[in-house]
Amino acid sequence: MNIEAYLSVAPEIAEAVKAGKPVVALESTILSHGMPYPENWEFSHRVEEIIRGEGAIPATTAIIGGKLKIGLTSSELELMCKDPTVGKVSRRDVAVYLATGKTGATTVATTMMLAEMAGIKIFATGGIGGVHRGAETTFDISADLQELASTGVAVVCAGAKSLLDIAKTLEYLETMGVPVLGMNTEDFPAFYCRRSGHKVDASIPDAATAARIMKTKWDLGLKGGFVIANPIPEEYELDFDEMEAVITKALEAAKEENIHGKDTTPFLLDHIKNYTKGVSLASNLQLAYNNARTAAKIAIEYSKL
C-alpha cells in the first residue's frame, strides 16, 4: 500500500493524533450537498468552533487536487461550500477522484475511511445513511452501513435520516455486528425527531462510558465501528407525524422525477426544507452542532484511556 502518497493531513491534526490528543473528524458532503450557501459556510466555521470550545481539534475532510485532505484551510472550506461542481464521493468513487484530480465532498463512508487512515477514532455527522424505503425492490442501501461494519471509527449522529427505512437500517447494522449505542436514550432517534419507535442496543449515560466501550471493542481486535445515536435537543425537535407526511410528499416527488442513487438524499432533503419552510434546515444545523459537541466530549474521554 502507498496511502501516504495520497494523504494530506494538516500539521495540527497530525501532531494531535501522534500525541494522543482528542480529534473529531467531520464530513464535507453536509457542506456541498446538505445546505445552501452561505448557511453552509457559516456552519463549517461554527461546527469547528464548537469542537475547539470543548477542547478537541476538528478535522474536516475532502478530496482536493488529488489528495485525501484531513483538515481544511479557510479557503478550502469556502471551495467546498461555494463550488457547484464539487462531487459527492463515497468509497467506490475515491480512486476516480484522486486519479483525475476532481474535487469531492466526503460522505459518512468516505470520512470514516479517511479518519481511520489518519488515526482518528471519532467522527461527528448529522445522520447516517441506511436502507432506503422500498429497498426490497430498488436495493438502495447506503455504503455507510458496510463502512460501519468494517472501519474502526465511532460515528456520532442523530440516528438515521428520517427519510430512510429505520427498521431495516437497524436490522442491517445488527446483521453486520455494528453496536448501536444511545446517548441517554433507549429509543433510536430519527434525525429531526428524538424517537423512531425502535430501540438502540444499549443506552449509555455519558461520554466516558462511550469511550470505554469503544476501547474495549477495539482492544479485543473486533473490526468495525459504532453508531452513537445522539437525539436532537428537545427544543429543536420536529413532530414525527408531520415529518412523515412531508417525507411521503418528498418521496413521491423523487419518484415522479426519476431520482435515484446518490442523488436521492440531497433531493429529498431539499424538498423537505421547502415543504417545512426552512424549519428542517434550522433543526438540521442544531442537531449537527449537538453531535459535534458530544463527539468532542467522547474524543476527550477516549484520549484519556
Side-chain angles (χ1 to χ4, degrees):
M1 289 195 300
N2 190 22
I3 293 171
E4 287 73 20
Y6 301 99
L7 204 57
S8 174
V9 184
E12 179 192 26
I13 294 163
E15 289 164 15
V17 170
K18 189 175 181 181
K21 292 179 180 176
V23 180
V24 176
L26 297 166
E27 59 159 294
S28 49
T29 289
I30 196 170
L31 307 179
S32 298
H33 300 272
M35 59 185 76
Y37 186 84
E39 286 92 339
N40 54 1
W41 170 242
E42 293 161 4
F43 169 82
S44 71
H45 287 274
R46 179 67 186 131
V47 74
E48 291 200 355
E49 286 170 6
I50 286 169
I51 289 168
R52 289 190 187 279
E54 292 291 338
I57 296 166
T60 303
T61 62
I63 298 179
I64 301 172
K67 294 290 184 180
L68 301 169
K69 304 282 289 188
I70 294 121
L72 303 185
T73 64
S74 185
S75 61
E76 288 169 339
L77 281 172
E78 188 170 17
L79 171 70
M80 302 312 292
C81 292
K82 289 181 77 171
D83 188 342
T85 68
V86 173
K88 181 179 178 183
V89 180
S90 194
R91 173 179 275 269
R92 70 173 184 185
D93 311 304
V94 170
V96 173
Y97 273 71
L98 286 174
T100 59
K102 293 168 68 178
T103 302
T106 50
T107 62
V108 168
T110 320
T111 306
M112 288 183 73
M113 284 174 58
L114 269 62
E116 186 171 61
M117 289 175 187
I120 301 167
K121 306 303 290 183
I122 296 100
F123 161 36
T125 187
I128 59 167
V131 180
H132 281 260
R133 302 185 193 205
E136 61 273 17
T137 56
T138 65
F139 288 88
D140 192 350
I141 300 171
S142 171
D144 296 354
L145 302 186
Q146 278 288 336
E147 206 65 46
L148 279 157
S150 60
T151 301
V153 174
V155 181
V156 181
C157 58
K161 296 180 178 76
S162 45
L163 48 89
L164 300 169
D165 188 320
I166 290 177
K168 288 187 177 70
T169 297
L170 290 171
E171 188 64 41
Y172 193 108
L173 289 168
E174 180 186 357
T175 299
M176 301 308 293
V178 178
V180 178
L181 310 178
M183 287 298 295
N184 294 296
T185 182
E186 293 185 355
D187 199 300
F188 187 73
F191 205 59
Y192 303 114
C193 309
R194 289 178 63 82
R195 295 172 181 81
S196 67
H198 301 281
K199 298 296 183 186
V200 296
D201 298 328
S203 177
I204 52 175
D206 51 37
T209 305
R212 285 198 304 275
I213 293 170
M214 289 157 54
K215 184 175 187 298
T216 301
K217 174 178 174 171
W218 294 326
D219 277 353
L220 292 169
L222 298 174
K223 73 171 187 174
F226 289 84
V227 173
I228 300 179
N230 188 40
I232 184 173
E234 285 184 42
E235 61 267 36
Y236 301 108
E237 180 181 22
L238 303 183
D239 181 81
F240 185 85
D241 293 330
E242 287 180 15
M243 284 308 301
E244 277 297 298
V246 166
I247 289 164
T248 299
K249 284 175 68 177
L251 287 167
E252 288 169 358
K255 190 174 182 181
E256 287 172 10
E257 296 190 33
N258 197 30
I259 304 295
H260 53 82
K262 65 182 180 181
D263 296 326
T264 303
T265 298
F267 177 90
L268 293 174
L269 289 175
D270 187 55
H271 273 63
I272 289 166
K273 184 193 74 171
N274 293 336
Y275 292 145
T276 61
K277 296 181 172 61
V279 173
S280 65
L281 176 59
S283 292
N284 195 347
L285 292 171
Q286 293 302 327
L287 67 83
Y289 294 149
N290 188 47
N291 293 340
R293 205 170 283 115
T294 299
K297 289 174 179 167
I298 295 170
I300 289 164
E301 293 300 328
Y302 188 79
S303 72
K304 295 175 183 176
L305 298 177

